[in-house]
């Protein structure tokens, strides 16, 4: 009877799980950047050749103005990591200016994930802060958000 009262307890040992990366799989750091109405999903791959792809196009083909290329590459210039990472971006919404800002925000976040020591430089430059300025809505009775029809006294 004593044997029946004693129940067998199963001891479950907690295994320490460490993720092993297969040899054919590359490490990549993903982040999301936003600006105005644009959303950029950014993948940063270390030990790359410096290739920069936006919506399956090269950065030179996607951004025809050099200003937008400079804005998108600012996190690399601040951290002196130009050409050390491959960047793949999917961006949609807004115009080219907003998209360039969203890409900059996403790259900055991904670089911090890749190397925590770069965070101080990137934060000081202000690239981790999402620029919250968006277009103001149109009000009734006005032509635009603030522009009123011409006032006529008589």
């Amino acid at each position: 009877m004593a044997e029946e009262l004693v129940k067998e307890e199963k001891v479950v040992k907690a295994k320490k799980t460490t993720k092993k990366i297969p040899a054919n799989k590359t490490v990549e750091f993903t982040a999301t950047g936003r600006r105005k109405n644009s959303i950029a999903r950014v993948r940063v791959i270390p030990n790359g050749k410096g290739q920069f792809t936006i919506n399956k196009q090269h950065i030179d083909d996607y951004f025809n103005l050099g200003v937008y290329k400079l804005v998108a590459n600012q996190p690399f210039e601040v951290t002196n990591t130009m050409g050390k990472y491959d960047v793949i971006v999917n961006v949609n919404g807004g115009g080219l200016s907003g998209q360039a800002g969203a890409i900059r925000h996403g790259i900055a976040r991904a670089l911090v994930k890749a190397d925590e020591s770069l965070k101080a430089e990137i934060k000081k430059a202000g690239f981790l802060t999402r620029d919250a300025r968006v277009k103001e809505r149109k009000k009734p009775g006005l032509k635009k958000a603030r522009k009123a029809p011409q006032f006529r006294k008589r």
Side-chain angles (χ1 to χ4, degrees):
M1 274 198 165
E3 294 175 359
E4 293 175 359
L5 295 176
V6 177
K7 294 181 180 178
E8 292 182 32
E9 293 183 23
K10 293 182 180 179
V11 178
V12 179
K13 294 182 179 179
K15 293 183 179 179
K16 290 184 179 178
T17 57
T18 56
K19 290 186 179 181
K20 292 183 180 177
I21 300 167
N24 60 353
K25 184 90 174 179
T26 59
V27 178
E28 59 184 40
F29 301 95
T30 61
T32 304
R34 292 182 180 87
R35 168 88 167 92
K36 293 188 179 182
N37 283 332
S38 302
I39 299 171
R41 295 183 307 267
V42 177
R43 289 187 294 162
V44 172
I45 303 165
N47 302 327
K49 298 175 184 174
Q51 295 177 340
F52 204 122
T53 308
I54 303 171
N55 290 351
K56 298 180 181 176
Q57 295 178 22
H58 192 268
I59 187 170
D60 296 328
D61 299 331
Y62 193 80
F63 289 136
N64 48 9
L65 284 179
V67 176
Y68 300 138
K69 294 176 213 168
L70 290 175
V71 169
N73 281 316
Q74 278 179 334
F76 294 122
E77 291 172 10
V78 168
T79 57
N80 296 323
T81 55
M82 189 67 91
K84 294 182 181 177
Y85 294 94
D86 286 342
V87 181
I88 302 170
V89 180
N90 288 326
V91 64
N92 58 0
L96 291 178
S97 175
Q99 288 182 355
I103 291 169
R104 178 179 73 182
H105 187 221
I107 289 172
R109 285 177 154 187
L111 282 177
V112 170
K113 282 185 182 178
D115 189 2
E116 196 69 29
S117 64
L118 301 175
K119 184 173 183 175
E121 298 172 51
I122 294 174
K123 190 160 181 73
K124 185 178 178 186
F127 300 149
L128 292 179
T129 306
R130 193 246 199 251
D131 192 352
R133 296 176 296 169
V134 293
K135 187 174 180 179
E136 191 175 339
R137 77 173 191 87
K138 182 190 175 301
K139 278 62 165 209
L142 301 181
K143 292 186 175 186
K144 296 198 293 184
R146 298 186 184 201
K147 184 180 180 183
Q150 186 176 9
F151 176 73
R152 187 169 169 207
K153 197 167 188 179
R154 286 179 194 86

